[in-house]
Amino acid sequence: MTGRNGPALSAVITLAVVFGLLLNTAMNESKANQAHATKTLEQRVSALLGEMTLAEKIGQMNQVNASDHEINDHLREAIGAGRVGSILNQVDVDAVNELQRIAVQESRLGIPLLVGRDVIHGFKTVMPIPLGQAATWNADIVREGARVAAREAATAGINWTFAPMIDISRDARWGRIAESLGEDPYLASALAAAMVEGFQGEDLADRGTIAACAKHFAGYGAAESGRDYATTNIPENELRNVYLRPFRAAVDAGVVTLMAAFSDLNGVPATGNEFLMRQVLRDEWGFDGFVVSDWDSVRQLAIHGLTENDKESVYQAVMAGVDMEMAGESYLDQLEDLIGEGRIDVAMIDAMVANILRVKFQLGLFEHPYTNPAELPAIANEHALQTARQAALESVVLLKNDRGVLPLSAEKLNSVAIIGPLADAPYEQLGTWIFDGDTELSITPMHAIHSLVGHELDVRYLRAMENSRSRASVSFDEAVEIARESDAVILFLGEESILSGEAHSRADISLPGDQAELVRRIRETGKPVVAVILAGRPLTLTNIVNHVDAILFAWHPGTMGGPAIADLLFGVESPSGKLPATFPRMVGQIPIYYNQKNTGKPPSPDTVVHIDDIDAHAPQLSFGMTAFHLDAGYTPLYAFGHGLSYADFEYRNIEVSASEIGLGDTLIVSAELMNKGDVAAEEVVQLYVRDLVGNVTRPVKELKGFKRVRLEPGRTITVDFQLHTDDLAFFGRNMQRMTEAGQFHVWIGGSSETELRTEFRVVDKD
Ligand code: BGC
């Protein structure tokens, strides 16, 4: 995969060409507008299809990597001949305009190009990594982040992003968990829809909106042992109840494209999986956009061992419903023969090409093929930076805060030591998948702390380690020295950006390098120690958690991570992020997730014994026969939904509007939330349900609602949720989605560990 991330071409276009483009745009616009006025979308699609040769149809199904510095003759010629439907990875607007010009003016039918790019969590202005955005539990800020990203990307001529990535993952070893929205299908669905709305806007044809792509369809996040690209085995019931749900939500939100996953799902790689793309996506969900393969994943069907050669791979991918091939060109090479031999019906190809053309029409590309950046908002404008800052602020999770060591008080302290490899690392704080992210825009925590409190406090900084993986502890004595001279220490620890993302999985997810040793040494000074952790995944923090007083988990927070973190450290704002994924104590607990099944032998505190406490004289009798690990128990270090605040929130008086409701009815569940602390703060209130009996076993808790609320000190509010019986539906043994009558538990609280519970019954009145 060379050249995918290559720097953009800086094409020189003469004034005459620019003038020509504009003139042509005007002509195109008026022609297209006339056509548009009289024909419906489907009529336009079929009229165009009717004019296409088979070779031109196959060309639309071909996506080509265009990241080279120079537009090469081969690409010009291929586009001019109608052999390219889409390009990816060209981000120089002049080059993109030139390629569009060739498509529109030199190809026989003038079909504009889809211009794709991985705009995963921002373009130049970078939002927190998607997993961090999920920690905001705030669909509005997530939607706005995508909107900002779309507008910035559109200035480069990009009209299609390969996001949102909505693979459910219960495995923090998997490097791509960083790109995901976490472990929970309800949260991921809500935020997936918000991202789609943000990228695509109200109308895809508007300037500054781009097509979204829900990926990777499906199951990729369940890679065995978290090793990227590894096999996944997911029973259909689990697939439907967990992994497919965010995709359904994205389709319902109007996403116009999906990407097939690289991975092998139950023996049939996703790129050749007819069940996924034809049965579920088209027949059941009625999707009318198109599916793109992943990078060369069509030809990889042979490497998986599903097919013998490229030709058979193309056959399988087309039959399964992959409308466009990314960066492989095997459709171009093989499809005509397969159709000629009568193995693939041309009607099937027509339907697939129509899916692609439909999106091009919806994007308004025929009317506006060219990009004039001046018509779009400026890159990194005030609103963009403010959105990135707010997203970062809401994404940071306060994992622990002993004796209220946080927030630090600029008035009470005279000095503070900032130590660690990630305090002043403009690139690292942006995280994975930031092809276009501008490190010049990054404000690091070190700089932000200086500007926030530098005039009041003595701020001392030492990087202490070259990077998060360093094993050279030569600077540790100096770090200890600085810590001793200061009133408090803030350690900036975690993972550099390269340690998460695609093909960057880890088997050990503790702090890499000598960071734990640094923590231990600093601890010995006896100073208050706050750890701010920047990382692309949940980490196992067991070996440091008792050596620090407070932990702020900041993910890779993006461009404006620094100011957000500084505001939280010094109490300008209160933390309000909540974990979108469980933090294990030890890597061996993985997969560990809150919405697990009960088992026939559920563990409880009185059945658990630690390996060190086994009674040598009566080993078998000393503990219960339940589902736990002898060396890790059964609870995580931090549960899904966990996140502390500087306020002191108390939940009480949970109530349901009725103890019994009929199928089809709506229940109101409410609880009081009181801020007993002395600062105003935001809190994410969470609603969980357990269906006690099902024709397939149901999880011990399932998220069914959440609300972010702000509460002044001393105030109490009632938070309520509407729960329709459809919200309780699940796929049962026969793979039909249904709500079963029966008894339900319901909780409201500030994390999945909430014990504030009541119950209700659903009855079938017929
Ligand atoms: C990734 C996709 C990405 C594509 C294009 C692949 O390796 O799996 O998520 O969109 O490359 O860059």
Side-chain angles (χ1 to χ4, degrees):
M1 291 193 205
T2 50
R4 293 170 52 188
N5 192 14
L9 166 75
S10 207
V12 181
I13 296 191
T14 61
L15 270 178
V17 174
V18 172
F19 181 70
L21 277 183
L22 293 177
L23 196 70
N24 264 299
T25 308
M27 280 163 53
N28 270 322
E29 283 182 15
S30 73
K31 259 195 278 173
N33 284 342
Q34 282 162 15
H36 192 43
T38 47
K39 283 184 186 161
T40 65
L41 173 65
E42 288 313 311
Q43 285 168 336
R44 293 181 86 190
V45 169
S46 64
L48 182 54
L49 203 56
E51 289 182 53
M52 295 171 81
T53 63
L54 182 58
E56 284 165 338
K57 290 174 187 170
I58 295 171
Q60 287 302 308
M61 301 170 82
N62 181 33
Q63 185 186 48
V64 174
N65 178 22
S67 67
D68 288 353
H69 291 248
E70 302 293 332
I71 305 176
N72 61 52
D73 289 344
H74 176 72
L75 183 59
R76 282 176 186 276
E77 201 262 321
I79 294 175
R83 288 202 304 272
V84 180
S86 171
I87 56 165
L88 78 163
N89 292 342
Q90 178 55 266
V91 289
D92 180 285
V93 67
D94 293 337
V96 170
N97 276 335
E98 169 62 1
L99 295 173
Q100 288 288 23
R101 189 196 61 75
I102 298 172
V104 170
Q105 288 179 30
E106 294 183 9
S107 77
R108 196 178 70 90
L109 293 171
I111 304 175
L113 297 165
L114 284 164
V115 181
R117 182 67 161 174
D118 289 280
V119 183
I120 306 296
H121 54 114
F123 189 64
K124 299 285 179 199
T125 307
V126 179
M127 307 295 146
I129 54 169
L131 190 61
Q133 292 186 47
T136 69
W137 296 52
N138 182 349
D140 292 336
I141 195 76
V142 168
R143 187 181 303 106
E144 202 50 41
R147 172 62 46 90
V148 166
R151 287 197 195 113
E152 290 194 355
T155 63
I158 293 163
N159 52 39
W160 180 21
T161 175
F162 306 120
M165 193 279 225
I166 50 180
D167 295 312
I168 295 294
S169 181
R170 295 163 164 178
D171 194 332
R173 294 170 297 188
W174 191 47
R176 300 198 82 167
I177 196 172
E179 283 176 69
S180 84
L181 298 170
E183 76 184 30
D184 181 67
Y186 183 89
L187 180 62
S189 297
L191 302 184
M195 278 195 183
V196 170
E197 290 158 9
F199 287 125
Q200 297 194 165
E202 295 274 295
D203 182 349
L204 258 185
D206 291 344
R207 296 285 161 101
T209 60
I210 61 179
C213 179
K215 71 186 189 185
H216 306 82
F217 199 57
Y220 185 30
E224 283 179 351
S225 81
R227 200 159 41 91
D228 205 5
Y229 315 126
T231 300
T232 71
N233 278 299
I234 310 172
E236 184 179 337
N237 190 264
E238 185 83 344
L239 195 66
R240 290 181 180 276
N241 280 319
V242 179
Y243 293 87
L244 294 182
R245 275 173 53 194
F247 288 94
R248 179 68 204 253
V251 168
D252 289 347
V255 76
V256 289
T257 76
L258 265 78
M259 186 185 293
F262 281 130
S263 40
D264 179 333
L265 175 67
N266 303 333
V268 183
T271 301
N273 200 306
E274 200 173 330
F275 164 74
L276 284 177
M277 291 178 288
R278 294 224 181 259
Q279 182 179 324
V280 175
L281 183 62
R282 300 278 176 196
D283 299 348
E284 295 180 22
W285 299 355
F287 178 66
D288 72 351
F290 73 89
V291 178
V292 64
S293 78
D294 204 339
W295 189 281
D296 205 17
S297 69
V298 173
R299 292 196 311 182
Q300 287 167 18
L301 292 177
I303 306 175
H304 277 284
L306 188 78
T307 62
E308 239 177 24
N309 51 39
D310 284 357
K311 187 171 179 182
E312 294 311 308
S313 299
V314 171
Y315 176 75
Q316 294 281 347
V318 166
M319 295 308 282
V322 175
D323 303 296
M324 181 183 283
E325 181 186 19
M326 178 189 285
E329 303 214 356
S330 59
Y331 276 18
L332 216 52
D333 296 341
Q334 309 291 346
L335 250 179
E336 208 153 341
D337 281 356
L338 284 162
I339 296 162
E341 289 162 16
R343 291 181 65 199
I344 294 179
D345 195 342
V346 95
M348 180 178 271
I349 299 301
D350 283 353
M352 296 170 97
V353 176
N355 294 336
I356 297 166
L357 295 178
R358 194 173 294 123
V359 174
K360 292 189 174 188
F361 280 116
Q362 286 169 329
L363 276 165
L365 288 180
F366 290 84
E367 290 78 22
H368 308 288
Y370 304 116
T371 299
N372 177 0
E375 289 176 359
L376 289 157
I379 296 279
N381 60 39
E382 194 46 44
H383 173 72
L385 295 175
Q386 187 48 38
T387 304
R389 182 172 181 156
Q390 189 63 25
L393 186 80
E394 295 183 18
S395 74
V396 177
V397 183
L398 179 61
L399 293 179
K400 72 172 265 181
N401 192 15
D402 288 355
R403 301 179 306 281
V405 70
L406 282 178
L408 299 172
S409 160
E411 284 102 59
K412 291 191 193 141
L413 304 173
N414 290 317
S415 57
V416 66
I418 300 176
I419 298 171
L422 294 168
D424 191 26
Y427 175 79
E428 309 305 343
Q429 74 184 47
L430 299 183
T432 185
W433 280 113
I434 45 126
F435 283 169
D436 306 291
D438 186 350
T439 46
E440 300 273 303
L441 294 171
S442 290
I443 303 181
T444 68
M446 200 274 284
H447 282 286
I449 293 170
H450 262 285
S451 38
L452 184 67
V453 297
H455 55 286
E456 292 173 85
L457 291 183
D458 204 356
V459 180
R460 302 172 182 128
Y461 165 61
L462 184 75
R463 191 180 179 103
M465 296 170 72
E466 194 191 335
N467 59 44
S468 69
R469 292 162 294 132
S470 304
R471 295 215 177 267
S473 46
V474 284
S475 303
F476 287 8
D477 287 346
E478 199 187 335
V480 167
E481 203 52 37
I482 289 176
R484 281 224 170 86
E485 289 165 4
S486 306
D487 296 334
V489 185
I490 313 172
L491 289 172
F492 282 87
L493 308 170
E495 294 177 321
E496 309 140 72
S497 114
I498 190 77
L499 296 187
S500 58
E502 184 175 350
H504 293 83
S505 295
R506 298 177 60 201
D508 172 0
I509 54 167
S510 60
L511 287 171
D514 276 345
Q515 294 184 77
E517 173 64 7
L518 177 63
V519 173
R520 203 187 55 72
R521 294 286 308 277
I522 298 296
R523 185 58 174 177
E524 282 170 6
T525 65
K527 301 288 172 153
V529 182
V530 175
V532 180
I533 298 181
L534 280 69
R537 56 160 65 77
L539 297 174
T540 50
L541 300 171
T542 308
N543 61 349
I544 63 138
V545 70
N546 294 327
H547 304 312
V548 296
D549 299 296
I551 302 177
L552 274 177
F553 204 89
W555 318 100
H556 288 131
T559 302
M560 297 299 282
I565 290 169
D567 283 354
L568 293 170
L569 284 168
F570 289 92
V572 180
E573 302 277 356
S574 172
S576 58
K578 300 279 186 176
L579 294 181
T582 304
F583 275 46
R585 295 173 190 279
M586 290 184 197
V587 79
Q589 290 181 293
I590 294 173
I592 181 168
Y593 48 96
Y594 85 96
N595 47 356
Q596 60 186 328
K597 302 290 183 72
N598 202 33
T599 80
K601 291 172 178 279
S604 59
D606 53 329
T607 63
V608 171
V609 159
H610 190 265
I611 193 162
D612 296 338
D613 301 328
I614 296 174
D615 181 349
H617 302 294
Q620 286 86 351
L621 303 177
S622 56
F623 50 89
M625 307 277 282
T626 63
F628 69 95
H629 288 113
L630 278 173
D631 42 9
Y634 63 94
T635 57
L637 186 59
Y638 296 113
F640 175 83
H642 170 76
L644 305 173
S645 166
Y646 297 155
D648 181 5
F649 288 118
E650 187 183 299
Y651 288 86
R652 56 189 188 199
N653 296 337
I654 185 166
E655 277 177 15
V656 284
S657 55
S659 56
E660 194 174 286
I661 55 167
L663 280 172
D665 291 348
T666 299
L667 183 76
I668 296 175
V669 191
S670 64
E672 283 172 10
L673 172 65
M674 181 176 182
N675 181 351
K676 299 195 311 183
D678 48 21
V679 294
E682 293 198 357
E683 165 74 344
V684 177
V685 181
Q686 302 160 38
L687 173 78
Y688 294 92
V689 161
R690 177 171 179 187
D691 182 352
L692 295 189
V693 179
N695 77 73
V696 293
T697 54
R698 311 297 305 126
V700 293
K701 256 181 194 163
E702 284 182 283
L703 184 69
K704 293 289 179 189
F706 59 88
K707 277 185 185 167
R708 189 175 252 277
V709 295
R710 185 175 178 84
L711 209 52
E712 297 297 320
R715 291 285 310 278
T716 301
I717 53 167
T718 301
V719 183
D720 51 32
F721 294 92
Q722 296 202 347
L723 200 56
H724 188 273
T725 54
D726 282 355
D727 301 330
L728 304 169
F730 62 96
F731 288 90
R733 226 179 279 190
N734 59 3
M735 302 304 160
Q736 297 303 311
R737 193 166 178 275
M738 37 109 76
T739 303
E740 285 184 337
Q743 195 70 13
F744 291 79
H745 285 168
V746 58
W747 296 258
I748 288 180
S751 99
S752 64
E753 283 181 328
T754 172
E755 291 178 353
L756 187 65
R757 187 186 93 188
T758 184
E759 47 194 292
F760 62 94
R761 191 163 190 86
V762 173
V763 291
D764 188 349
K765 288 186 175 147
D766 302 331

